[in-house]
Amino acid sequence: EALDIPNNEMPTVYSLGANVPNPFNATTAIEVGLPKGGDVRVEVFDMLGKKVTTLVDGEMKAGKHRIVWNGVDNAGREVASGIYLYRVTAGDFSETKKMTLIK
């Protein structure tokens, strides 16, 4: 689920914020800054590099967006406690960060 953050200044560069809270239990939010609209993909991987889920895959407008992950995989199953990687790809920009799920 991606939510626009209202009344924000337009980002001038692509950015991937730290997820909040981290570590998390149940849900966490990831902030993404887009200086221009376009195709965006936000994915979650386990530490072995296996894709767990895709949170966003499609057109997003410029601005700051908050993307919420509820700790489930593409099949709707709750994932185990552990460290996960999340990656945003937009245009030529790609960045990956770590997050920790504790149950």
Side-chain angles (χ1 to χ4, degrees):
E1 174 186 11
L3 305 170
D4 294 342
I5 300 173
N7 302 325
N8 60 46
E9 293 183 21
M10 190 58 62
T12 57
V13 295
Y14 289 100
S15 64
L16 176 62
N19 65 299
V20 178
N22 190 22
F24 72 100
N25 177 335
T27 63
T28 189
I30 300 163
E31 192 169 297
V32 176
L34 305 173
K36 61 182 182 180
D39 283 335
V40 177
R41 179 174 289 156
V42 180
E43 300 165 296
V44 178
F45 300 88
D46 66 19
M47 289 304 290
L48 300 175
K50 180 176 178 251
K51 189 190 309 183
V52 173
T53 191
T54 301
L55 301 176
V56 174
D57 187 9
E59 189 81 15
M60 291 183 82
K61 63 185 181 184
K64 288 184 182 174
H65 305 273
R66 183 172 290 124
I67 298 150
V68 177
W69 183 42
N70 59 359
V72 299
D73 65 14
N74 273 337
R77 296 179 301 250
E78 287 190 9
V79 299
S81 296
I83 298 172
Y84 292 87
L85 302 173
Y86 59 101
R87 179 177 69 200
V88 63
T89 307
D92 294 336
F93 175 79
S94 181
E95 188 172 346
T96 302
K97 293 192 176 187
K98 287 182 185 178
M99 61 183 160
T100 303
L101 170 62
I102 297 176
K103 294 192 173 185

